[in-house]
């Protein structure tokens, strides 16, 4: 064993709970203490997570992307989008 420890996770002050149109999501904007890029994750009430692939230069940029997504697609974009095909009766 090398005695190296895992890096700490830095949580942005912009992280938190957002409720709009009766829908609540958790916004997580985090980075590893020794890495410059911020990660954006949005978790809905069912626990389903949406994570952006590319890191953001700043936590403000991550937050702006979240807000832009809500403005363009609506908060419902983060709901589970199950495809249900009804059976004929």
């Amino acid at each position: 064993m090398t005695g190296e420890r895992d890096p700490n996770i830095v949580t942005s002050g912009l992280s938190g709970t957002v409720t709009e149109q009766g829908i609540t999501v958790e916004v997580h904007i985090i980075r590893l203490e020794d890495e410059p890029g911020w990660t954006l994750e949005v978790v809905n009430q069912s626990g389903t997570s949406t994570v952006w692939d590319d890191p953001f230069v700043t936590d403000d940029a991550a937050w702006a992307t979240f807000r832009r997504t809500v403005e363009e697609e609506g908060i419902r974009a983060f709901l589970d989008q199950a495809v249900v095909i009804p059976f004929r009766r």
Side-chain angles (χ1 to χ4, degrees):
M1 286 198 172
T2 62
E4 289 184 31
R5 66 172 179 76
D6 289 335
N8 290 321
I9 294 175
V10 178
T11 301
S12 167
L14 297 172
S15 295
T17 303
V18 175
T19 302
E20 292 188 15
Q21 302 169 351
I23 298 168
T24 300
V25 297
E26 290 289 327
V27 178
H28 302 281
I29 302 173
I30 61 170
R31 69 176 177 83
L32 297 178
E33 67 180 332
D34 56 356
E35 297 288 329
W38 292 89
T39 299
L40 172 59
E41 176 187 31
V42 180
V43 181
N44 69 21
Q45 293 169 313
S46 301
T48 302
S49 172
T50 302
V51 180
W52 276 251
D53 291 332
D54 296 323
F56 296 88
V57 175
T58 65
D59 57 343
D60 285 323
W63 176 255
T65 296
F66 167 73
R67 292 304 319 160
R68 187 170 42 257
T69 300
V70 170
E71 288 172 18
E72 292 174 0
E73 300 180 37
I75 193 91
R76 294 186 171 281
F78 300 107
L79 293 179
D80 294 338
Q81 302 295 328
V83 176
V84 178
I85 301 171
F87 289 105
R88 272 191 271 164
R89 296 186 177 198

